[in-house]
Amino acid sequence: MEQSWKQAKSVFAAALGPPLFWLVLFFLVPLAIVWAYSFGHNDGLTDIAITGTFKNYARAIEPLYLKIFVKSAGVAALTTALCLVIGFPVALAITFAPQKTKAWLLLLIMLPFWTNLLIRTYALIAVLRTEGYINKSYEWLWTLVDKVAPLGAFQPMELLYNNSAVVLGLVYVHLPFMVLPLYSALDRLDKSLLEASLDLGAGHLRTLFLVVVPLALPGIASGVLITFIPALGAYLTPDLLGGPDSQMIANVIERQFKRANDWPFGAAMSFLLMYLTFMAIAVQAVLGRKKTGEGAR
């Protein structure tokens, strides 16, 4: 007589025990400590007194810091929109590519995950800096044209240490997070629906917007969510590519923990960012459930 998996509690306990212990000890416990710090204040140079105060949260929503939160959300939203605009055609091209070509294209999308983020960011700096590849190519083109029509002294483009460089870096880093969910959704499409739309005279553009995009909405929602959340909390890219006016909320949090030594305030800002993340996930879940309910009708 075969034993039901539901009755094999010892097997589940043995399999679940070590990962659950690791998760509680090295994730939930430190997270709970930082959460407790957000309700305290500095008591001397190294001690933190947890008093249950909400002053840190009240300070975090002051206009100065609220402006940084809003700016970070705007940069993350712009990054997500650009990733969607760029990633959707890429995912569509991979979906309809021949099987052998599709495997290589997916490998190219996955390749950045095999390289450290710091190395990729420094590679981008090498491209964008004053003596980088773009400015060198621009100087070569300038010199070529200058021989025909004098243009004056060459001035390199300022491509680094500004908001544009931060957005470009975030798109460069997070584009695979958008392409993969989109490809997963598009690859499951019923191709006969596209053929039917074309046979009925809809044309490729109308088929794309009236058939493909609505059917790919679950993938779009997933891609938007898993692109927006990491972009909102990005630290390394704004720190290396941005200037004094390009700092995002994660950089402010880092300064509270490292330079200002104000751990309670940094903890409060960290959890405000986490609360925003939970809200975004909840909104996505509610919208997904609503669309599922409408589809069932």
Side-chain angles (χ1 to χ4, degrees):
M1 183 177 179
E2 295 184 2
Q3 187 180 17
S4 171
W5 277 103
K6 293 182 179 180
Q7 296 174 350
K9 295 181 181 180
S10 58
V11 176
F12 280 111
L16 184 62
L20 187 60
F21 174 76
W22 182 276
L23 180 67
V24 171
L25 184 62
F26 294 106
F27 180 73
L28 294 181
V29 170
L31 200 64
I33 293 172
V34 175
W35 181 73
Y37 282 169
S38 68
F39 298 100
H41 65 272
N42 284 334
D43 188 12
L45 293 176
T46 58
D47 295 331
I48 297 175
I50 301 172
T51 59
T53 180
F54 284 89
K55 288 184 179 180
N56 295 310
Y57 287 97
R59 181 183 168 195
I61 59 175
E62 288 178 356
L64 174 64
Y65 299 106
L66 196 59
K67 183 180 178 181
I68 299 174
F69 268 110
V70 172
K71 179 188 175 183
S72 300
V75 171
L78 178 59
T79 299
T80 304
L82 290 174
C83 285
L84 179 60
V85 171
I86 299 169
F88 196 90
V90 173
L92 202 62
I94 296 174
T95 301
F96 290 98
Q99 200 63 35
K100 290 185 179 179
T101 307
K102 184 184 295 187
W104 284 104
L105 292 174
L106 286 173
L107 179 64
L108 289 175
I109 295 298
M110 295 291 293
L111 203 58
F113 292 117
W114 301 350
T115 308
N116 186 274
L117 175 59
L118 185 62
I119 296 174
R120 284 186 281 152
T121 306
Y122 274 115
L124 192 59
I125 291 175
V127 173
L128 298 176
R129 64 184 179 179
T130 305
E131 299 295 327
Y133 297 113
I134 291 180
N135 270 312
K136 283 295 183 182
S137 302
Y138 178 45
E139 184 180 10
W140 175 82
L141 184 61
W142 182 284
T143 305
L144 197 65
V145 175
D146 188 60
K147 292 179 180 178
V148 180
L151 299 174
F154 170 75
Q155 294 292 333
M157 295 181 288
E158 296 294 333
L159 301 176
L160 268 180
Y161 311 123
N162 50 50
N163 291 325
S164 299
V166 172
V167 173
L168 178 62
L170 290 174
V171 171
Y172 167 68
V173 169
H174 294 96
L175 187 58
F177 292 102
M178 179 65 76
V179 173
L180 292 176
L182 288 175
Y183 164 73
S184 178
L186 291 170
D187 194 50
R188 293 197 300 265
L189 290 181
D190 187 352
K191 306 301 188 297
S192 63
L193 296 175
L194 310 184
E195 296 172 2
S197 176
L198 294 173
D199 289 342
L200 292 172
H204 288 85
L205 200 59
R206 291 185 66 186
T207 298
L208 175 64
F209 285 103
L210 298 180
V211 178
V212 176
V213 172
L215 291 175
L217 280 179
I220 293 174
S222 299
V224 166
L225 189 66
I226 65 175
T227 302
F228 178 80
I229 290 175
L232 180 62
Y235 160 73
L236 186 64
T237 303
D239 190 56
L240 294 179
L241 301 181
D245 298 328
S246 306
Q247 300 301 290
M248 294 175 64
I249 193 62
N251 305 104
V252 177
I253 293 172
E254 181 266 346
R255 284 199 296 270
Q256 303 307 315
F257 280 98
K258 281 187 158 183
R259 304 176 195 176
N261 197 31
D262 194 350
W263 285 38
F265 181 53
M269 297 189 75
S270 300
F271 271 88
L272 276 179
L273 190 61
M274 191 174 294
Y275 300 150
L276 290 175
T277 301
F278 289 154
M279 287 172 60
I281 294 173
V283 169
Q284 194 268 346
V286 169
L287 292 177
R289 191 178 298 117
K290 184 177 178 182
K291 288 188 177 295
T292 303
E294 290 176 355
R297 293 176 189 174

